[in-house]
Amino acid sequence: IMVFSLVLGAAYLFWSTNRIVRPIHQLAATAGEISKGNWTATLPDIEGSDEISHLTQSFREMSTNLSSTYKDLNDNLVKIQNSQEELATEKERLAVTLRSIGDGVICTDQRGRITLLNKVAEELTGWSQESALGEPFYTVFSVTDVPGNVEDNYLDIIARFQTGSSEGLDKQSRLVSKEQAERIISTSGAPIFDAK
């Protein structure tokens, strides 16, 4: 009886190892592969209606969903990288164009703060792009023939730009640079609209 019990116990141990422990080890090994990025790792085929079969099926579905999500994220990352490269190319093209223009170009935001000066504008005003960024327009573009309060006049110009009008902005002016050098210049302005 004892030998029979030992044989029966060994058979049960062999069966339980095959049926329970081995699939759990295979699931753990597959989970390790997937966590390393191997989305093609195969799960054991376990048929049945017990908990291990359900666990394996759930794990297979989760692995498929993770693989699909990872692929979508990778595709989106490639699109973002391509967009960034296109944006950098376009930005460089704009910078080259602005540097090559023979006229001084000064851009502001809606509040009249400097956002861009090209090289010619730097030479005319005596301000570098770095030092002018964020400064009020009238501080950098100082003209002596503006009647009344200088700040109010520039705010009026900005208000006209916001309505799309640039009427009365094409004229001759006396520009005073940062070093107090004076030049007679011809001025013009135009609003630049973004998506908003």
Side-chain angles (χ1 to χ4, degrees), residues 19 46-55:
R19 187 72 183 133
I46 300 173
E47 298 297 327
S49 59
D50 59 3
E51 288 81 6
I52 293 180
S53 299
H54 290 297
L55 178 63

Side-chain angles (χ1 to χ4, degrees), residues 48-162:
S49 59
D50 59 3
E51 288 81 6
I52 293 180
S53 299
H54 290 297
L55 178 63
T56 302
Q57 183 57 33
S58 295
F59 198 86
R60 184 175 284 118
E61 290 169 8
M62 182 181 70
S63 175
T64 301
N65 289 340
L66 282 173
S67 178
S68 175
T69 301
Y70 178 77
K71 183 187 177 310
D72 291 345
L73 286 173
N74 242 6
D75 291 347
N76 287 338
L77 181 61
V78 168
K79 288 177 185 175
I80 289 170
Q81 288 171 336
N82 289 341
S83 294
Q84 287 175 335
E85 288 171 8
E86 289 172 10
L87 182 61
T89 300
E90 188 62 30
K91 185 176 179 181
E92 180 60 26
R93 189 177 301 127
L94 174 63
V96 167
T97 302
L98 284 173
R99 281 194 303 265
S100 66
I101 290 176
D103 295 331
V105 177
I106 301 175
C107 295
T108 70
D109 61 15
Q110 291 179 344
R111 298 176 305 140
R113 303 283 176 174
I114 301 292
T115 59
L116 180 139
L117 262 75
N118 74 346
K119 198 71 174 161
V120 175
E122 286 180 327
E123 292 167 6
L124 290 173
T125 64
W127 286 76
S128 69
Q129 162 115 350
E130 294 77 27
S131 61
L133 287 179
E135 291 291 327
F137 178 73
Y138 57 84
T139 302
V140 175
F141 189 77
S142 176
V143 290
T144 59
D145 52 354
V146 175
N149 182 312
V150 175
E151 184 175 358
D152 288 343
N153 280 304
Y154 286 112
L155 292 175
D156 177 56
I157 290 169
I158 291 167
R160 279 191 267 162
F161 278 167
Q162 289 175 349

